[in-house]
Amino acid sequence: MLTFDVQIWGIRKRPDRAAAYQLRWRVGVQPFSKSYKIKAQADGRRSELLAALRKREQFDTETGLPASEVQAAQSPTWFAHTREYVAMKWPNASAKHRASIADALATVTPRLVKDNRGAPAPRVLRTALYSWAFRLVLDQDGELVARVEAEEAPEAIVAALDWIGRKSVDISSLNTPTVVRSALDALARKMDGTAAADNTVNRKVPVFSNCLRYAVELDRLPSLPLTKVDWTAPETEDEIDFRYVPGPALARKLIDALGEQNDRGRHLKAFFGCLYYAATRPGEAVGLRESDFTLPEEGWGQVILSSSSPRVGSGWTDSGESYDSRGLKKRARKATREVPIPPVLVRLIRDHIAEFGTSEDGRLFRAARGGGLLSKEYGDIWKAARRAVLTKQEVKTPLAEVPYGLRAACVSLWLESGVSPAEVARRAGHSIAVLFRFYAKAIRRNQQHANSQIERALEAE
């Protein structure tokens, strides 16, 4: 039990004892004492107890210690806490988020150590943390455990995890601002010491913060220590640079060029068409099935998007596949998104089905050897199309650099065509806030067009 009823007496000297200097204090009705050989040691300890009392800190009636000392004595290490945090987050996290958690914790944990004596090589330690300690698998009993507990790891990995287990600071050390700052600085750097990309830092810091919040939830920390440090994550420029977003004419040329590359290019032409004409994300397009489309012989059709399958690596998915099949981004698991598609995409899809058919499960797009379509495969085809269409100077720029640029081109085209931002956001699967953050310039251009229309209406007789 904790109490404020504490009394601390002066140092008593007992000449007949080896430890002659005795410190005595009372917590509640329970007396406590400790003896020291040197008076300065006794005075120092007495000063620590008095300081805790002056800070209005409660004392524990069973141990006689200030509450902060009791908490520190019972505190697990940072490394032990992170493993509990990963186990808590894993079941409900997407595969991509699981990998992101492991990445952030593998970056910050090597910095939160008592000292670096006997430290393993940095890359060995990172591999041990990222791939063995912070990646969970099912053991023989069907229980989720760290990979190192279910599989036989190389000796270097075992040694690295043993070292970090011994050297990791107690979680209570995160109450110290200098320790927190050191951790944040680690998140802002790459392994070679150079500055990490702004987006990388802003992805990792929330994981660190959430891990600390979990410590507060478990009463391992009294409050979130990040508020004690004057440290600001780098600002990022989210707004899309429209100098490098392909316009309608260039987008059509690139899609046509895909069909002229080879058999794989023809197979993927409709895939890229979905990115440009329906603003699908690549992860949404790879899982599209014939049944998702309404394909009339004339006029507009429709596609119903219900899932996304981003590629993250088999070690992070529940299925063991390299793709994580899940609901739409930032949507409930069973949510769908209906997107009207123009006649040009209707024809592309109908032609694709006529020439290539579908897989056994109805998927339109598949890898050259069957199975899920890989990002590397469609990325290589895209690079070939860029080289075929763009000038040598343009190829060196970020113009249409990645397939995702087609989605940005589609959204900006919708906005500049006068479609309301709310409808654009709905079709693209964005929130209004995200749309305004990324497409502010396109929205402003659309507003200018709207202002001109209003002005003409006002001037009409």
Side-chain angles (χ1 to χ4, degrees):
M1 185 176 71
L2 297 177
T3 181
F4 289 111
D5 182 14
V6 179
Q7 184 175 5
I8 302 172
W9 292 294
I11 305 299
R12 182 172 68 176
K13 184 177 181 181
R14 299 180 298 173
D16 56 333
R17 304 290 180 91
Y21 300 95
Q22 186 185 49
L23 168 63
R24 298 171 301 137
W25 71 102
R26 174 185 59 78
V27 180
V29 298
Q30 183 67 34
F32 295 90
S33 65
K34 188 170 183 180
S35 298
Y36 299 86
K37 291 182 179 180
I38 302 172
K39 186 175 187 297
Q41 293 175 330
D43 287 334
R45 181 54 177 158
R46 182 173 183 271
S47 296
E48 290 175 349
L49 297 180
L50 287 171
L53 203 56
R54 284 194 295 270
K55 290 191 294 185
R56 298 294 297 161
E57 189 172 337
Q58 290 183 303
F59 280 55
D60 177 45
T61 56
E62 291 186 12
T63 63
L65 300 177
S68 59
E69 294 186 16
V70 174
Q71 185 180 48
Q74 299 173 346
S75 174
T77 65
W78 166 258
F79 178 54
H81 173 72
T82 57
R83 293 185 67 174
E84 288 185 38
Y85 172 75
V86 170
M88 180 273 293
K89 296 290 287 188
W90 188 277
N92 296 316
S94 68
K96 188 174 182 180
H97 188 44
R98 291 169 181 173
S100 183
I101 290 172
D103 182 27
L105 296 180
T107 299
V108 73
T109 299
R111 181 67 67 91
L112 298 175
V113 293
K114 300 167 188 174
D115 60 71
N116 285 302
R117 289 192 296 272
R123 292 197 177 277
V124 172
L125 180 55
R126 176 175 172 80
T127 299
L129 292 169
Y130 179 77
S131 298
W132 291 88
F134 299 144
R135 180 185 294 180
L136 304 191
V137 298
L138 293 175
D139 64 9
Q140 294 180 345
D141 298 324
E143 298 292 330
L144 274 173
V145 297
R147 183 184 174 199
V148 70
E149 297 175 12
E151 302 177 19
E152 186 175 350
E155 290 184 8
I157 298 297
V158 174
L161 293 179
D162 176 70
W163 182 86
I164 195 68
R166 290 183 288 105
K167 295 290 186 176
S168 180
V169 299
D170 291 342
I171 188 69
S172 58
S173 298
L174 273 296
N175 267 323
T176 307
T178 55
V179 176
V180 176
R181 180 176 294 280
S182 176
L184 291 169
D185 288 343
L187 293 171
R189 297 285 170 183
K190 295 192 242 182
M191 290 190 68
D192 61 6
T194 59
D198 293 346
N199 286 334
T200 300
V201 179
N202 283 289
R203 173 175 54 82
K204 291 181 177 181
V205 169
V207 174
F208 178 54
S209 174
N210 193 249
C211 192
L212 292 174
R213 290 178 188 279
Y214 188 54
V216 175
E217 179 184 331
L218 297 179
D219 290 327
R220 292 171 178 172
L221 289 173
S223 61
L224 186 64
L226 291 176
T227 58
K228 302 177 181 178
V229 180
D230 184 16
W231 190 94
T232 304
E235 294 185 3
T236 57
E237 179 54 61
D238 291 331
E239 192 170 332
I240 291 173
D241 189 342
F242 286 96
R243 292 177 298 170
Y244 303 118
V245 173
L250 179 55
R252 287 193 298 268
K253 285 182 181 179
L254 287 166
I255 292 173
D256 288 341
L258 290 162
E260 298 169 0
Q261 297 306 308
N262 49 36
D263 289 343
R264 290 305 297 159
R266 288 202 316 278
H267 180 82
L268 293 176
K269 184 178 179 180
F271 169 82
F272 287 100
C274 290
L275 272 59
Y276 181 62
Y277 293 111
T280 62
R281 298 177 176 89
E284 294 169 344
V286 296
L288 285 173
R289 290 167 167 75
E290 182 179 3
S291 58
D292 295 328
F293 289 88
T294 300
L295 303 170
E297 293 187 5
E298 294 183 4
W300 283 64
Q302 179 179 266
V303 60
I304 299 178
L305 302 169
S306 59
S307 65
S308 181
S309 301
R311 187 170 187 268
V312 291
S314 59
W316 307 101
T317 64
D318 293 328
S319 64
E321 301 290 338
S322 60
Y323 281 94
D324 181 29
S325 183
R326 55 184 172 83
L328 299 174
K329 186 175 181 180
K330 302 295 185 182
R331 295 292 185 273
R333 189 174 296 274
K334 294 184 179 180
T336 60
R337 187 169 87 245
E338 299 177 2
V339 182
I341 57 175
V344 60
L345 181 55
V346 172
R347 290 192 296 271
L348 276 175
I349 300 299
R350 290 174 68 92
D351 291 346
H352 175 89
I353 295 171
E355 182 175 1
F356 300 104
T358 64
S359 63
E360 291 183 1
D361 61 359
R363 280 181 297 109
L364 297 182
F365 313 115
R366 47 202 181 275
R369 298 182 180 180
L373 179 60
L374 301 177
S375 56
K376 182 181 186 307
E377 187 173 355
Y378 65 72
D380 289 343
I381 294 292
W382 180 253
K383 290 177 184 177
R386 282 186 83 239
R387 289 193 296 268
V389 171
L390 303 183
T391 66
K392 290 183 179 180
Q393 290 301 317
E394 287 174 333
V395 169
K396 296 177 183 178
T397 71
L399 177 61
E401 188 172 26
V402 293
Y404 202 93
L406 288 177
R407 170 176 159 84
C410 177
V411 173
S412 60
L413 176 66
W414 287 345
L415 288 168
E416 293 180 352
S417 298
V419 181
S420 72
E423 176 61 11
V424 172
R426 188 198 66 77
R427 295 189 184 196
H430 276 316
S431 68
I432 290 289
V434 168
L435 188 75
F436 273 79
R437 191 168 83 237
F438 284 88
Y439 294 91
K441 289 179 182 177
I443 291 171
R444 284 196 294 270
R445 287 198 290 266
N446 183 38
Q447 288 174 340
Q448 292 169 0
H449 175 68
N451 290 345
S452 298
Q453 291 180 311
I454 293 171
E455 186 173 356
R456 285 196 297 271
L458 291 172
E459 292 175 351
E461 294 182 2

